Amino acid sequence: MKDQHPTLTPSAHPPALQTYGVSRYFGGQAAVKSVSLTVSSGSISGLIGPNGAGKSTFFDLLAGGQPPSAGEIFIHGHRVSGQPAHQRLPRGVGRTYQIARPFAQLSVLDNLLLGAQNQTGERFWANWLIAGRVRAEEQAHQAQARELLEFLTLDKLADQPAAVLSGGQRKLLDLGRILMARPRVILLDEPAAGVHPQLVTVIRDRILELNKSGITFLVIEHNMQLIASLCSHLFVMREGELLCEGPPSLVLKDPRVLDAYLGSAPL
């Protein structure tokens, strides 16, 4: 099969994400149409387009929330097209959602702890046979979670129920829960939607800091100021197709992009 995909060549540093002809059909309707793109490792890339362009469906395909009707998906050079979401996370890909829905009655800290993967204590007999190991692992996860809460400016709310969080704080908690799984790639779905401008700045700064540590980001966002300040590369979707791609300075002035957003002034 590889000889049919000349862009998918072996490399010591393969792209973080790569798709080849990915489509998703619902009945006879195509939500995503033959999208081929490459997200470089260590980058922050943006995925933009008008409402209904297919962006969130494409995210679902990347994260394994639903299978593609056609095409192939690669994570760090490994073909994962048929793998479900619980097998993508061990590959290092996590995602957030446009609407963050924490477990409202659990504490902020406990919500974060739910993101830890492969916990020994989840095995029934482990709590009796290797109780010391379970306790040590739980202490390590607690330390990791509290460190993340401080990083995300949520540490003073650690013991409060998640129900008290604002929309922006819930977005930060959603990001923290994914970080507990130690991903190498994070798919962010509208991190600034409905968020107070001060918290948007916090979210942007944390994304930039995480990226410096080596985490790759692909971000869906309608806030073009945020996109321009974060991303080195943009992909634009319209009606399920990849319309164009390139650096923000060029993409946001592209007549096709302006037309897709039904505007004549620069975005």
Side-chain angles (χ1 to χ4, degrees), residues 12-251:
H13 301 286
L17 294 168
Q18 193 165 29
T19 68
Y20 185 89
V22 166
S23 300
R24 178 60 178 170
Y25 293 92
F26 297 96
Q29 185 70 31
V32 175
K33 305 176 187 175
S34 194
V35 173
S36 299
L37 58 76
T38 298
V39 176
S40 300
S41 293
S43 67
I44 304 178
S45 299
L47 180 62
I48 67 172
N51 290 330
K55 303 183 299 295
S56 289
T57 300
F58 186 65
F59 257 31
D60 265 354
L61 300 176
L62 293 176
Q66 52 185 295
S69 302
E72 294 179 347
I73 300 169
F74 293 76
I75 298 173
H76 293 291
H78 299 281
R79 185 181 284 108
V80 298
S81 309
Q83 293 182 355
H86 71 273
Q87 293 179 349
R88 303 276 173 102
L89 190 55
R91 290 285 188 189
V93 174
R95 73 162 295 184
T96 66
Y97 292 85
Q98 181 180 351
I99 300 175
R101 293 188 176 92
F103 292 94
Q105 301 310 312
L106 290 181
S107 71
V108 170
L109 176 62
D110 284 342
N111 265 273
L112 214 62
L113 288 169
L114 290 173
Q117 300 295 299
N118 300 318
Q119 300 184 57
T120 304
E122 293 175 347
R123 302 166 195 160
F124 182 73
W125 289 108
N127 293 281
W128 287 272
L129 298 178
I130 49 174
R133 176 178 168 185
V134 171
R135 282 195 300 271
E137 189 177 87
E138 288 176 349
Q139 290 170 357
H141 287 151
Q142 285 261 351
Q144 179 191 359
R146 289 192 180 278
E147 184 178 344
L148 280 172
L149 287 177
E150 184 175 0
F151 173 71
L152 297 168
T153 69
L154 296 174
D155 49 308
K156 293 180 180 178
L157 297 166
D159 299 318
Q160 296 295 311
V164 307
L165 298 182
S166 68
Q169 289 170 331
R170 291 183 180 208
K171 297 270 189 173
L172 285 165
L173 179 60
D174 207 17
L175 175 58
R177 192 158 47 191
I178 290 298
L179 288 170
M180 284 294 293
R182 302 184 184 277
R184 292 186 291 164
V185 182
I186 297 179
L187 310 174
L188 287 180
D189 196 343
E190 297 200 36
V195 177
H196 189 279
Q198 287 184 336
L199 274 181
V200 170
T201 300
V202 173
I203 291 170
R204 181 201 64 197
D205 291 347
R206 295 308 178 266
I207 293 170
L208 289 170
E209 193 165 343
L210 290 165
N211 178 249
K212 287 179 182 177
S213 74
I215 296 177
T216 302
F217 285 88
L218 180 61
V219 185
I220 293 176
E221 186 52 66
H222 289 285
N223 182 329
M224 291 301 117
Q225 287 185 326
L226 177 61
I227 280 289
S229 68
L230 276 177
C231 300
S232 59
H233 196 87
L234 295 183
F235 303 98
V236 185
M237 289 185 69
R238 180 176 65 180
E239 298 179 352
E241 298 180 298
L242 185 63
L243 178 65
C244 65
E245 63 175 282
S249 58
L250 297 179
V251 167

